[in-house]
Amino acid sequence: MLAERADRREHLLRDVFLQDIYAIPGGEKIKECIQCGTCSASCPTSYAMDYTPREVIAAFRAGLLDRVLKSNTIWLCASCYYCTVRCPSGIKLTDIMYELKRLAIEFDLAQEGAKAPVVSKLFVDNVNKNGRVSEAGLVSKFLLKTNPLGILKMVPRAIKLLIRGRMQLIPHRIEGIAEVEKCLAAAASLGLHPGPSEE
Amino acid sequence: MVEKIGVYICHCGTNIARTVDCKAVAGYALGLPNVVVARDYLYTCSDPGQEMIKNDIRESGLTRVVVASCSPLMHETTFRRAVADAGLNPFLFQMANIREQCSWISENRELATTRAKAIVGAAVMRVEFNEPLEVQKVPMNPNVLIVGGGIAGIEAALQIADSGKRVYLVEKEPTIGGYMARFDKTFPTLDCAACILTPKMVSVGQHPNIELLSYSDVTDFSGYVGNFTARIRRRPRYVDEEKCTGCGQCEQKCPLSVLSEFDCGLGKRKAIYRPFPQAVPSTPVIDREHCLFFTKGVCRVCEKFCPRGAINFEQKERFIDVQVGSAIIATGFDLFDASRVKEYGYGKFPNVITSLEFERLTHASGPTVGKIVLKNGRTPESVAVVHCVGSRDNNYNEYCSRVCCMYSLKIAHLVREKTDAKVYEFYIDMRAAGKGYEEFYKRLLREDVTFSRGRVAEITDVAQNSSENGKLIVVAEDTLLSIVKRIPVDMVILSVGLEARRDALQVAHIFRISRSKDGFFLEKHPKLAPVSTAGDGIFIAGSCQGPKDIPDSVAQGAAAAANVLSLIDRKEVELEPTIALIDEDSCSGCKICIGLCPYNAISFDEPSGHAVITGALCKGCGVCVAACPSGAIEQQNFTNRQLTAEVEAICA
Amino acid sequence: MVIGLSTRFEPKIVGFLCRWCAYTGADLAGTSRIKYPPNVTPIRVNCSGRVDPTFVLKALASGADGVLIAGCHPGDCHYTSGNVKTIRRFKLLQRMLNQFGVEKERVRLEWVSASEGERYARIVESMTKEIRSLGPLEWKTKVEA
Amino acid sequence: MNKAYDRSARLVSRLLNIDLAELDDWNCCGASAYISIHELKAHLLSARNLSIAEKKKKDLVVVCPACFTTLSKTNHYLAEDRKFRRTISTALKSANLEYWGGVKVRHLLDVIVKDIGENEVKSRVKRKLSGLRVAPYYGCQLTRPFGEVDDTQFPMMLDTLLSWIGAQPVSFPLKAKCCGGLLMMTSEEVALGLNKNLLDCAAQNGAECIATICPLCHMNIETYQGDVNKRFGTNFHIPALYFTQLMGLAFGFSRKELGIDEEMVSSRVALEKYLEAAS
């Protein structure tokens, strides 16, 4: 039973993953991975990852996507695009990492205590509400959620930044926020995933 | 007379029958005007298939035949011959291609069958207007042009010359020998390249049937199979090949040293030089760019010391025309420019070198007399060999260069043999398909080379700890362990891939050869005609067709030679009679066609006031036919009537 | 008759392919089992320069919805420059078709080398799609009327 | 965005006659943190900005490489993918917006180096930063993934610009490596390590300061320098300055105008001697 359910979820994950990846121009290149490891060795953070970027594709091939989604790998991607520009098969690894992050959030698979999804969600809320990000708001909310004590540690730095005029306390809301809201609502109605090119 | 047409629909096993309803197409054909026989058959090109057609011709008195099967490039000749065997003129046969351009491109049986009917219909309507034609036969000139004096060209030249035919061997460089002359050892046997190559080079130089035209290139190639004319540019050596004995006095006395191209700039040569001591011909050349006489108007030392008076500063570039019946193009390859992979630091880090530079380093008569040393003269304590540089990479060349895995193993072996260095091989996949190759790989595994599976991501000199200080750090994932390794080494050897020569496009234009997507020359058929090209009488051999190792290049050289000799033995060649003809009565004498003909085959006959086509010069492009405002020109087997019939049948 | 086929308009396209490049390229598409719509029926000629504009008009007038002329890339012509002559001729032809009110998408001149099977397939595909959206040519009612 | 960058970029641009007008009511571009929640929405945020710029018939100049990449990516996808184009325009339409793909996205550095050029920049220099050894730091997203601006791994643009204003760009092999800024809040340990590598490399090559082109890199390198020192027992003191601040100095603006004394790793020592020597 359990195995069956896991199997079903893997299928679902795989379907959504492929649909989204193929929607990226050149996304189908993921099929051409030759497992050479250029991505892993180009990655500045792979040493800290549970699975190297190369293994992410290997896991996808082996039908073990959910293992990757639960790992710390995707949250350590710093979007530096080194893997993407060096990949000899033209695979857009960074975009794949973004997609995996989205999947992990959507299917609620992110590791317990992983901070990155929290930041991303706060960031999105912030932007959706104001159209822009307020750094101070973001940081303080983040710390409240993940590490309330950390706020105390941050105070001296924040004060320094404030004194130097480098931090804005009151968030600015853009005038066209209604416009933004309409666009985003329309996007939601158009489906979460852009879907593959037809024809 | 009413024509009797026979139509044969081939199943080609399931190749056609899987997507085309062959029975239905045959049924459809039988309903077409003048079709008296229509059959479908499993393999029409087989003996029984051909017999069936012959029988029908004899017994049903067929006057026209249509076979719907594969591309005419595959079997047109086969069926023409069969038809001729049964007494019908071969040009009364028409082929319809329902495989390559029909059954293989579609999954939809209905659409493919409809399409097949259209194709067959067009052929049936056209064949009605086919006319009996006579194949033109012209004598085959037995002389052969070979372009490129690497191992493939050398092999071809010797095979042909040994059979008593005359060979013109054109080589761009001052000496023949190609890349092989620059290698130290050859894999997997580790025999010395020079030991097996130089005897062949000497044979070429001495062969009475080979005219070696080195330091030369072909600038124009015209004519048709059996009768080509090659224009060859002979660059001035400033040394008389007839007088020179190759004693080498001039080289010794020349006061000016420059970097040697043959040694990849690692060693020096003189301004008058032979690329290497065993060069063939042994006549040196003067490098005009550097020679003090040419640059400053002084010196002439070589002239003074030449015991034979062979130096001639007055030599000029000259052109010669040679008549040949066939040609073999064996122009070889270029090495991938390693500096394009910026993250490998070639050109930036002195001790990152290419595999060819390593060959020169380890070569007994190379710049270091065979010592493997760093730029500072010290012997390396650790060496990394990096596979797939520029190969298997969408950013550069997508294909596998085929030879690098094996030569990389050879490099590892030589380093292990000559130094105490630790050797690392970074590979993606070990490709050791070849006789004795896998065994060679095993041997290297036994020789304690460290193999690391994973492509190198970068080579850097930014140290992260003291063990990396002053070293080149090779960064790669060990994909078998999923660990990213940083390996500090003294020397990195980049196993650069092979690519089409920079001048391949130019050569392709001169010889009218097509090129494949990767820029290499395109063979007529990848499996069945690997050394032929689309142009009759023009063959290719060696790495100009795609990366090859020495055994394969030699095999191709010999194969091309066999093709050429078989052509020559026929004594005459048949030319397609698809030439243009002018109907003198309709010609208005407007002369439009004359300027259009690329072969100067059309002239104007003043007395009669109309244009005349010289059949032997016409190649049958049909440009004049389409251009003639009075419709006075027709192309045999591509008449307006025939083509219009096809158009009408398709559109009906 | 197959139900379903009749609902979608399948354009009829005549293809003039030069034997050295385009025809060989089209063969390669087949050998590589690349799939594309079977709407172009090929006629093999030695050179695209053989294609008399009247063939094109004849095809359109006889019921074709489009015509594809495909030859070697400029500079690659087996007959040195036949395709250059095709270019010139094609420009005149386009002007003429324009006057007749024939959409320019219906008649195309394309270069396909012997190694460009994929390219040939994509050309046929896009051409079929374009003409399908234009609908049938109906020369008799549109042009001759 | 950081005020010092904002102010110095405006000052320098005005002097070079680059007609910069702040995009009316711009919104967040939808960069990395956003795109990892919802890709399409991120592109829509980006598209709204592009649409506003298009209405004004202007190119969109940004000073943040992450914005640059996100906006460029939207442009690329719009050009390459018909379905994507349709989806975006439908969503934009619901807010009475439209975008036809006609806006060029540029980074200010690229505009200054390629459009304004050597002569113009040099002619504005009032005090050459002669001898100031600067590590030119590009970070990731100016040249990756598209590589349209400069080499994806070894860009030279900033080196060139620094030499125009008299400074001496030092060899800086890690110039386009990741600083870890994006991870500072979420994986501090990893981020500090990357930061340390950069500082190490700059120090090894004798840099007196690091020139930056990205607000996030900038913030990371200098605000967390103390944390790096604490964590690794190092003693780095390498101020980071925006390239526009360095230009501004060379063009004769005051430190105050350029917000130079606002940084947490003081640049006073590094700059003093050159400025005094120059004046």
Side-chain angles (χ1 to χ4, degrees):
Chain A
M1 268 299 279
L2 221 63
E4 203 175 294
R5 201 162 37 187
D7 215 36
R8 258 207 313 278
R9 186 172 64 184
E10 180 68 30
H11 267 108
L12 182 63
L13 283 175
R14 195 182 174 82
D15 286 351
V16 178
F17 176 70
L18 281 180
Q19 191 194 358
D20 292 358
I21 289 302
Y22 291 170
I24 303 169
E28 69 290 342
K29 291 271 183 200
I30 190 174
K31 290 182 181 174
E32 295 179 20
C33 173
I34 57 172
Q35 289 287 303
C36 69
T38 302
C39 46
S40 311
S42 300
C43 178
T45 62
S46 61
Y47 72 92
M49 290 174 173
D50 297 337
Y51 300 103
T52 64
R54 177 192 55 81
E55 286 182 296
V56 168
I57 296 184
F60 151 68
R61 282 183 176 168
L64 297 170
L65 254 189
D66 90 316
R67 183 185 288 212
V68 167
L69 292 172
K70 287 175 187 159
S71 74
N72 74 354
T73 295
I74 48 184
W75 305 110
L76 279 169
C77 170
S79 319
C80 80
Y81 288 98
Y82 254 108
C83 48
T84 301
V85 299
R86 283 181 181 167
C87 175
S89 296
I91 301 168
K92 297 180 173 174
L93 255 299
T94 310
D95 290 352
I96 289 175
M97 290 294 180
Y98 282 140
E99 170 59 19
L100 292 169
K101 289 179 194 181
R102 288 192 291 271
L103 275 185
I105 291 174
E106 190 185 332
F107 287 80
D108 207 16
L109 290 170
Q111 254 171 5
E112 191 93 0
K115 295 174 183 171
V118 181
V119 176
S120 282
K121 278 185 200 156
L122 286 172
F123 190 95
V124 169
D125 288 348
N126 213 309
V127 172
N128 288 356
K129 205 164 101 202
N130 299 318
R132 295 183 193 171
V133 180
S134 125
E135 287 110 352
L138 186 64
V139 173
S140 53
K141 275 199 184 142
F142 168 70
L143 289 173
L144 274 176
K145 282 210 169 194
T146 58
N147 178 11
L149 289 178
I151 286 231
L152 297 174
K153 205 175 101 191
M154 281 297 284
V155 168
R157 193 197 315 276
I159 291 176
K160 272 193 220 162
L161 287 168
L162 271 173
I163 293 171
R164 289 172 169 77
R166 287 179 55 175
M167 216 172 184
Q168 198 181 9
L169 271 184
I170 305 136
H172 172 93
R173 177 171 294 186
I174 66 167
E175 286 166 26
I177 189 67
E179 254 173 35
V180 172
E181 277 162 6
K182 274 185 199 159
C183 285
L184 297 183
S189 73
L190 286 165
L192 204 57
H193 309 282
S197 273
E198 53 155 31
E199 290 154 352
Chain B
M1 186 189 110
V2 178
E3 304 297 348
K4 289 181 165 178
I5 305 174
V7 182
Y8 302 87
I9 314 295
C10 184
H11 291 218
C12 193
T14 56
N15 278 308
I16 295 171
R18 198 172 71 82
T19 30
V20 171
D21 183 345
C22 296
K23 281 244 171 333
V25 178
Y28 166 79
L30 201 55
L32 293 171
N34 300 338
V35 174
V36 294
V37 175
R39 305 180 197 279
D40 59 300
Y41 195 75
L42 194 59
Y43 285 109
T44 316
C45 62
S46 66
D47 276 351
Q50 294 188 41
E51 250 351 279
M52 168 179 73
I53 298 174
K54 290 183 203 169
N55 273 338
D56 284 348
I57 295 174
R58 292 192 198 104
E59 282 163 23
S60 312
L62 298 182
T63 60
R64 298 283 191 276
V65 171
V66 170
V67 173
S69 58
C70 49
S71 167
L73 296 175
M74 280 297 295
H75 276 311
E76 190 172 54
T77 332
T78 315
F79 292 121
R80 274 187 180 165
R81 212 176 289 143
V83 166
D85 280 353
L88 210 58
N89 182 288
F91 290 89
L92 299 178
F93 159 79
Q94 186 64 35
M95 192 137 183
N97 179 355
I98 57 167
R99 193 179 73 173
E100 280 83 349
Q101 299 190 25
C102 182
S103 75
W104 276 349
I105 59 149
S106 184
E107 301 277 12
N108 184 327
R109 200 170 161 84
E110 295 302 329
L111 285 179
T113 304
T114 310
R115 163 86 176 260
K117 285 179 185 168
I119 294 172
V120 170
V124 168
M125 301 310 270
R126 178 199 213 271
V127 82
E128 182 93 38
F129 300 100
N130 279 19
E131 288 160 4
L133 296 172
E134 287 315 313
V135 169
Q136 227 186 322
K137 288 189 174 169
V138 294
M140 174 80 198
N141 184 326
N143 298 345
V144 183
L145 174 74
I146 297 179
V147 188
I151 186 61
I154 287 175
E155 178 65 24
L158 288 173
Q159 295 283 353
I160 295 168
D162 282 348
S163 80
K165 306 295 184 292
R166 182 145 196 79
V167 171
Y168 297 96
L169 178 57
V170 179
E171 167 59 53
K172 205 172 203 160
E173 300 296 322
T175 175
I176 57 170
Y179 277 101
M180 190 175 169
R182 300 163 80 175
F183 299 160
D184 181 28
K185 299 277 166 40
T186 58
F187 62 79
T189 46
L190 295 172
D191 40 1
C192 114
C195 311
I196 51 179
L197 178 66
T198 32
K200 278 187 181 277
M201 290 171 60
V202 172
S203 304
V204 168
Q206 294 174 345
H207 209 294
N209 288 334
I210 299 179
E211 184 164 336
L212 176 55
L213 303 162
S214 61
Y215 216 45
S216 305
D217 52 355
V218 178
T219 57
D220 189 51
F221 192 70
S222 59
Y224 47 90
V225 56
N227 296 279
F228 292 112
T229 304
R231 170 151 295 189
I232 297 162
R233 178 174 62 153
R234 308 225 53 198
R235 289 156 67 202
R237 291 181 108 93
Y238 306 107
V239 181
D240 190 330
E241 277 185 64
E242 303 294 316
K243 291 183 186 158
C244 172
T245 60
C247 70
Q249 279 281 322
C250 51
E251 271 183 276
Q252 277 173 26
K253 301 293 179 190
C254 174
L256 189 71
S257 288
V258 295
L259 293 179
S260 153
E261 299 84 356
F262 191 81
D263 282 335
C264 303
L266 299 171
K268 299 258 176 116
R269 62 157 170 85
K270 296 296 183 61
I272 182 167
Y273 72 104
R274 286 171 298 187
F276 64 111
Q278 298 91 342
V280 171
S282 60
T283 316
V285 289
I286 294 179
D287 164 12
R288 216 191 141 107
E289 298 269 293
H290 295 99
C291 168
L292 291 174
F293 173 70
F294 281 112
T295 53
K296 300 211 170 79
V298 292
C299 188
R300 306 187 87 131
V301 165
C302 48
E303 197 179 27
K304 232 170 284 162
F305 283 92
C306 178
R308 304 266 297 169
I311 308 290
N312 175 7
F313 291 107
E314 302 302 314
Q315 257 186 16
K316 294 269 175 301
E317 174 181 283
R318 63 201 171 87
F319 289 87
I320 59 166
D321 284 350
V322 299
Q323 311 294 324
V324 295
S326 53
I328 297 172
I329 315 303
T331 45
F333 61 90
D334 272 346
L335 284 175
F336 175 77
D337 172 9
S339 65
R340 290 175 63 197
V341 189
K342 292 218 172 76
E343 59 267 37
Y344 287 174
Y346 177 75
K348 191 162 70 178
F349 306 131
N351 289 313
V352 174
I353 63 173
T354 67
S355 43
L356 187 63
E357 287 166 20
F358 177 83
E359 293 284 353
R360 296 314 298 155
L361 273 188
T362 187
H363 199 285
S365 53
T368 58
V369 212
K371 274 216 204 90
I372 300 167
V373 288
L374 300 168
K375 286 282 146 66
N376 63 11
R378 294 220 325 268
T379 309
E381 287 166 14
S382 47
V383 175
V385 185
V386 178
H387 288 224
C388 298
V389 179
S391 309
R392 302 187 66 195
D393 192 329
N394 284 12
N395 301 307
Y396 310 104
N397 295 315
E398 201 183 338
Y399 53 83
C400 162
S401 288
R402 269 190 74 190
V403 296
C404 323
C405 277
M406 296 313 293
Y407 81 56
S408 298
L409 293 177
K410 175 191 74 181
I411 289 172
H413 171 84
L414 292 172
V415 177
R416 295 287 296 149
E417 185 182 85
K418 295 188 173 186
T419 72
D420 293 325
K422 190 157 176 46
V423 180
Y424 301 87
E425 287 261 343
F426 293 93
Y427 67 102
I428 307 176
D429 296 295
M430 189 58 73
R431 296 191 166 166
K435 190 167 177 172
Y437 291 8
E438 183 69 15
E439 295 88 327
F440 189 55
Y441 174 32
K442 286 276 169 60
R443 172 175 175 178
L444 266 292
L445 288 168
R446 288 195 301 270
E447 287 179 7
D448 290 332
V449 169
T450 305
F451 286 86
S452 181
R453 194 204 167 278
R455 183 176 168 277
V456 170
E458 66 179 35
I459 295 160
T460 173
D461 62 351
V462 181
Q464 284 185 358
N465 55 55
S466 57
S467 72
E468 294 180 353
N469 277 342
K471 300 274 186 181
L472 293 162
I473 303 120
V474 181
V475 187
E477 181 183 15
D478 185 323
T479 58
L480 302 176
L481 291 171
S482 303
I483 296 170
V484 176
K485 286 185 185 160
R486 290 173 60 91
I487 308 281
V489 294
D490 294 326
M491 177 189 265
V492 177
I493 299 160
L494 302 178
S495 296
V496 285
L498 278 52
E499 43 183 36
R501 283 182 63 95
R502 265 174 286 274
D503 60 6
L505 182 63
Q506 203 184 327
V507 174
H509 279 163
I510 291 173
F511 294 97
R512 293 177 294 280
I513 308 173
S514 296
R515 300 198 302 157
S516 41
K517 206 168 67 186
D518 49 26
F520 288 105
F521 296 149
L522 186 67
E523 65 284 353
K524 190 172 182 181
H525 190 281
K527 301 187 179 61
L528 302 177
V531 296
S532 307
T533 67
D536 288 339
I538 300 173
F539 301 90
I540 48 178
S543 288
C544 64
Q545 181 264 354
K548 262 169 216 71
D549 58 13
I550 293 168
D552 284 2
S553 296
V554 172
Q556 282 216 328
N563 273 273
V564 160
L565 290 173
S566 133
L567 253 185
I568 296 173
D569 247 20
R570 282 177 234 165
K571 304 267 190 314
E572 47 187 22
V573 286
E574 299 183 342
L575 299 183
E576 281 270 307
T578 54
I579 54 168
L581 297 175
I582 294 185
D583 173 17
E584 298 178 2
D585 295 338
S586 320
C587 174
S588 66
C590 72
K591 299 186 188 172
I592 284 177
C593 54
I594 294 174
L596 290 176
C597 180
Y599 304 105
N600 298 321
I602 315 180
S603 51
F604 192 70
D605 184 52
E606 286 296 345
S608 62
H610 52 67
V612 184
I613 293 179
T614 313
L617 292 177
C618 173
K619 296 268 175 45
C621 63
V623 166
C624 57
V625 189
C628 178
S630 19
I633 316 183
E634 271 295 11
Q635 183 182 9
Q636 299 198 120
N637 208 34
F638 288 94
T639 62
N640 288 330
R641 198 66 206 90
Q642 285 170 308
L643 295 175
T644 319
E646 283 194 71
V647 169
E648 285 170 343
I650 295 169
C651 300
Chain C
M1 272 320 279
V2 176
I3 303 159
L5 271 186
S6 53
T7 55
R8 186 155 92 156
F9 164 56
E10 288 297 343
K12 202 180 273 182
I13 305 169
V14 177
F16 292 97
L17 312 186
C18 97
R19 68 177 284 189
W20 301 100
C21 296
Y23 197 90
T24 317
D27 271 357
L28 179 65
T31 315
S32 318
R33 308 299 198 276
I34 298 168
K35 305 294 175 231
Y36 60 89
N39 295 61
V40 174
T41 307
I43 296 178
R44 190 161 78 124
V45 288
N46 277 1
C47 177
S48 61
R50 173 67 184 90
V51 181
D52 189 326
T54 57
F55 293 165
V56 177
L57 298 175
K58 177 88 201 165
L60 297 176
S62 316
D65 301 297
V67 175
L68 168 67
I69 306 169
C72 310
H73 284 271
D76 282 354
C77 178
H78 186 79
Y79 303 102
T80 319
S81 57
N83 52 5
V84 176
K85 282 138 200 165
T86 316
I87 299 176
R88 279 188 229 142
R89 215 174 272 155
F90 184 72
K91 285 193 180 135
L92 290 173
L93 178 66
Q94 271 185 317
R95 211 173 301 158
M96 197 195 304
L97 291 171
N98 186 31
Q99 282 168 357
F100 287 163
V102 176
E103 299 89 341
K104 70 176 189 335
E105 290 83 1
R106 292 190 187 270
V107 181
R108 273 165 68 163
L109 173 61
E110 294 284 354
W111 312 127
V112 177
S113 84
S115 57
E116 292 178 330
E118 182 70 38
R119 178 177 158 83
Y120 179 75
R122 296 292 82 89
I123 288 170
V124 172
E125 194 175 61
S126 75
M127 194 172 175
T128 307
K129 212 182 290 170
E130 279 175 15
I131 298 182
R132 189 176 287 138
S133 67
L134 288 176
L137 172 61
E138 285 159 4
W139 177 278
K140 289 260 173 330
T141 51
K142 229 198 249 171
V143 182
E144 285 179 14
Chain D
M1 192 198 45
N2 190 299
K3 272 194 194 142
Y5 199 7
D6 186 14
R7 255 181 288 150
S8 59
R10 286 174 199 257
L11 282 175
V12 164
S13 299
R14 197 173 313 137
L15 191 71
L16 292 172
N17 293 316
I18 303 170
D19 173 25
L20 283 187
E22 182 167 342
L23 192 69
D24 294 336
D25 201 41
W26 53 269
N27 56 261
C28 164
C29 69
S32 33
Y34 198 106
I35 205 167
S36 28
I37 294 274
H38 199 308
E39 188 186 14
L40 187 57
K41 284 184 180 173
H43 282 297
L44 269 170
L45 288 171
S46 162
R48 178 175 175 267
N49 290 324
L50 290 164
S51 139
I52 298 170
E54 193 171 60
K55 219 183 286 168
K56 295 255 167 174
K57 296 194 169 63
K58 298 228 174 189
D59 289 348
L60 191 51
V61 176
V62 295
V63 292
C64 166
C67 300
F68 175 73
T69 288
T70 309
L71 292 160
S72 302
K73 195 184 259 183
T74 305
N75 256 349
H76 270 264
Y77 285 11
L78 281 171
E80 285 170 37
D81 194 318
R82 207 191 309 166
K83 170 84 188 286
F84 182 80
R85 202 153 55 225
R86 221 163 13 208
T87 314
I88 292 287
S89 70
T90 313
L92 283 178
K93 214 173 282 165
S94 68
N96 282 325
L97 294 170
E98 53 179 10
Y99 177 56
W100 295 96
V103 174
K104 260 193 247 148
V105 180
R106 308 284 306 271
H107 189 280
L108 183 62
L109 173 64
D110 183 42
V111 173
I112 291 175
V113 173
K114 293 211 192 112
D115 300 14
I116 303 300
E118 181 172 2
N119 291 340
E120 179 65 18
V121 171
K122 278 187 171 167
S123 74
R124 300 287 174 183
V125 172
K126 292 218 178 86
R127 45 181 180 205
K128 280 185 139 190
L129 306 181
S130 299
L132 179 66
R133 293 193 306 277
V134 188
Y137 183 58
Y138 299 78
C140 303
Q141 297 198 3
L142 175 67
T143 60
R144 286 189 302 273
F146 299 113
E148 287 164 336
V149 175
D150 204 339
D151 188 86
T152 53
Q153 303 183 49
F154 301 96
M156 280 307 289
M157 203 174 250
L158 182 54
D159 298 60
T160 310
L161 179 66
L162 289 170
S163 69
W164 291 348
I165 58 172
Q168 182 193 330
V170 302
S171 157
F172 193 41
L174 303 189
K175 57 165 79 161
K177 295 274 179 169
C178 176
C179 71
L182 195 67
L183 302 174
M184 202 46 96
M185 266 160 77
T186 55
S187 308
E188 192 175 310
E189 191 68 17
V190 174
L192 287 178
L194 296 177
N195 200 343
K196 183 228 169 200
N197 288 347
L198 285 188
L199 292 167
D200 224 358
C201 183
Q204 297 262 342
N205 287 290
E208 294 164 286
C209 66
I210 297 177
T212 58
I213 63 160
C214 166
L216 185 62
C217 301
H218 183 94
M219 158 114 164
N220 187 30
I221 290 172
E222 68 135 356
T223 353
Y224 284 89
Q225 208 166 110
D227 302 60
V228 169
N229 285 335
K230 214 178 288 165
R231 169 70 184 78
F232 297 97
T234 47
N235 194 20
F236 296 118
H237 184 94
I238 310 175
L241 290 157
Y242 290 108
F243 76 103
T244 44
Q245 289 180 304
L246 287 167
M247 287 181 80
L249 274 180
F251 290 171
F253 293 108
S254 74
R255 309 165 70 113
K256 194 165 167 35
E257 285 173 289
L258 298 164
I260 281 188
D261 295 322
E262 288 164 14
E263 67 278 352
M264 297 176 83
V265 178
S266 166
S267 61
R268 200 163 274 279
V269 182
L271 295 179
E272 208 97 311
K273 56 184 171 191
Y274 297 104
L275 295 182
E276 274 165 14
S279 50

